[in-house]
Amino acid sequence: MKKLLFCLIFLSSPAIAAQTTWYAGSSYKGTVTVPIENGPNVVWKCNGSVCRMSGPWGNALSLDSCQSLVLRIGKISYYKNSAGAIWTARSTELAQCNQVAR
């Protein structure tokens, strides 16, 4: 019974938030700090083919967050996350995101 109670408390704790990982297709190499809409700065790590960032910020793709990244690294070829959301080269949203590239 104690184990069940502990599991219920542990699993229902608001301090534990699900981590989602976001990916952006890019030839950029390096680490980039980017502000996210209504949140903190986040750190993207880019290896020359993909940039990655993880955190407890939900499961949606944000145009604002995408554009904040693109402003720093240039156009991206896709934008997706581990929750299954994706913007591909044919997506209107990705085209809007890439409009801010320098």
Side-chain angles (χ1 to χ4, degrees):
M1 183 67 166
K2 285 183 183 180
K3 283 184 180 180
L4 177 61
L5 183 59
F6 174 78
C7 286
L8 289 174
I9 292 170
F10 182 77
L11 293 174
S12 64
S13 172
I16 301 170
Q19 294 283 314
T20 302
T21 302
W22 284 264
Y23 307 91
S26 173
S27 59
Y28 185 86
K29 286 185 181 181
T31 302
V32 183
T33 301
V34 177
I36 60 171
E37 185 177 18
N38 301 319
N41 288 338
V42 296
V43 177
W44 286 84
K45 295 181 180 177
C46 306
N47 65 13
S49 63
V50 66
C51 296
R52 289 181 179 82
M53 182 273 298
S54 294
W57 300 289
N59 296 325
L61 297 177
S62 161
L63 181 60
D64 183 69
S65 296
C66 183
Q67 288 177 333
S68 292
L69 177 63
V70 166
L71 277 170
R72 289 156 181 82
I73 67 169
K75 289 184 178 185
I76 59 176
S77 58
Y78 62 85
Y79 190 55
K80 66 181 185 175
N81 66 28
S82 59
I86 185 167
W87 295 346
T88 64
R90 295 181 181 181
S91 301
T92 303
E93 297 90 349
L94 187 64
Q96 289 176 320
C97 176
N98 280 326
Q99 284 180 346
V100 300
R102 296 177 189 170

